[in-house]
Amino acid sequence: MKFHIMTLFPEMVLDGLHTSIIGRAEEKGCISIEAVNIRDYTADRHKKVDDYTYGGGAGMLMQAQPVYDCWKAVCEKIDRQKGNAAKTRVVYVTPQGEVFHQKKAAELSKEEDLILLCGHYEGIDERVLEEIVTDYISIGDYVLTGGELAAMVMVDAIARLVPGVLHNDESAQTESHANGLLEYPQYSRPEIWHDKRVPEVLMSGHHANIEQWRQEQSLERTRLRRPELYEAYLLANPPKVTGKKGRSICSVLK
Ligand code: ADE
């Protein structure tokens, strides 16, 4: 999968993403991350990319021309490599977008190429957004100084779902949010630490019991920490009635 990040701060994005697991995945060739400087495409001889907003108001706005020409250059590159630029999704990272979540990360990880557009100042001229953007995505209901950190968060979350990026693909299936629940607690050596013992069941070697304990912990943790996710999970997965008294796993947990 290839990420093409349109930004005014390419070093910031590349410095952040060329390390650790994502950096190694790039070296292995599972993904590629390219940051394209929007300023390189301005027609202004002083290299200006922003201007005042019509109608007044605080701050400057990124202009349509450099953003559009930068996008065209990225598309031409994709076309040269694969000839499918017209289909390439363009994500504008903005606090005005739908809130990013694991399902969206999984959906986007199936794309061959993905263009991310980072805004700055007070945003970007609406006319160019109308022409090139396919998805408006926010990483949460707060405002950052620019889109770069948001784009980095998204690239990290998407890239780790691309086959081959994580050593152990199974961990992406059991981790928090993969099935709509938070992950169960985990323990490593030593068996006792600060007088706290690792739960007995995990030492038993009984796989079915361990599985059931983890599922219960996962449900309970989600109920306590993220009640709205818990409710959504119960709606999508109505509890099966078990046992003679008809008590479900969920009523046991309450
Ligand atoms: N740019 C500024 N704030 C943002 C946010 N919360 N999500 C995505 N992009 C942003």
Side-chain angles (χ1 to χ4, degrees):
M1 173 170 193
K2 290 194 163 81
F3 295 93
H4 312 265
I5 305 169
M6 295 170 54
T7 168
L8 289 174
F9 298 95
E11 324 75 47
M12 173 180 176
V13 173
L14 294 179
D15 286 352
L17 290 171
H18 278 164
T19 52
S20 184
I21 295 174
I22 301 303
R24 282 200 298 279
E26 217 189 343
E27 281 164 22
K28 279 197 286 179
C30 304
I31 54 167
S32 86
I33 303 169
E34 164 198 56
V36 191
N37 195 337
I38 296 171
R39 199 177 294 280
D40 290 346
Y41 295 89
T42 177
D44 181 82
R45 61 195 169 99
H46 302 294
K47 291 275 175 196
K48 209 164 68 78
V49 289
D50 60 322
D51 213 326
Y52 295 99
T53 48
Y54 281 115
M60 309 284 271
L61 207 61
M62 277 168 73
Q63 292 167 286
Q65 177 275 318
V67 174
Y68 188 73
D69 286 356
C70 179
W71 170 74
K72 273 205 317 206
V74 171
C75 289
E76 278 161 20
K77 186 171 177 192
I78 296 171
D79 260 338
R80 278 196 302 277
Q81 288 169 351
K82 286 207 223 75
N84 67 349
K87 290 201 205 118
T88 305
R89 285 166 81 167
V90 179
V91 174
Y92 177 37
V93 285
T94 166
Q96 296 179 24
E98 65 169 299
V99 176
F100 190 54
H101 48 66
Q102 192 67 18
K103 266 206 193 114
K104 183 61 80 177
E107 176 194 316
L108 293 173
S109 72
K110 311 252 165 17
E111 299 290 325
E112 270 184 62
D113 287 86
L114 188 64
I115 302 174
L116 292 122
L117 169 61
C118 304
H120 254 272
Y121 313 114
E122 287 305 305
I124 301 180
D125 190 307
E126 192 68 21
R127 292 167 296 183
V128 67
L129 299 177
E130 284 167 10
E131 291 207 12
I132 70 172
V133 172
T134 58
D135 301 76
Y136 293 81
I137 302 185
S138 165
I139 61 159
D141 291 336
Y142 44 82
V143 181
L144 304 167
T145 52
E148 283 73 17
L149 283 172
M152 288 159 71
V153 166
M154 286 184 56
V155 170
D156 191 287
I158 296 166
R160 63 193 291 287
L161 300 178
V162 172
V165 170
L166 293 184
H167 283 310
N168 179 359
D169 282 346
E170 198 194 323
S171 64
Q173 285 156 30
T174 59
E175 68 197 2
S176 294
H177 300 295
N179 62 356
L181 293 174
L182 303 184
E183 198 179 16
Y184 45 82
Q186 304 210 69
Y187 305 85
S188 182
R189 284 198 286 191
E191 207 178 310
I192 301 172
W193 181 82
H194 280 204
D195 287 339
K196 292 169 195 268
R197 186 177 277 282
V198 172
E200 205 64 44
V201 63
L202 298 179
M203 316 295 292
S204 68
H206 192 300
H207 294 298
N209 286 355
I210 293 174
E211 203 39 58
Q212 188 187 337
W213 180 86
R214 285 181 166 163
Q215 173 70 3
E216 288 169 7
Q217 292 290 320
S218 205
L219 278 162
E220 179 64 347
R221 180 161 278 195
T222 310
R223 185 178 75 79
L224 290 172
R225 296 185 187 174
R226 297 291 301 275
E228 81 290 6
L229 290 185
Y230 180 73
E231 292 304 327
Y233 181 84
L234 288 192
L235 273 180
N237 305 274
K240 290 187 201 88
V241 175
T242 59
K244 283 189 199 132
K245 290 179 189 154
R247 294 200 311 165
S248 72
I249 222 176
C250 300
S251 59
V252 169
L253 289 170
K254 274 184 188 164

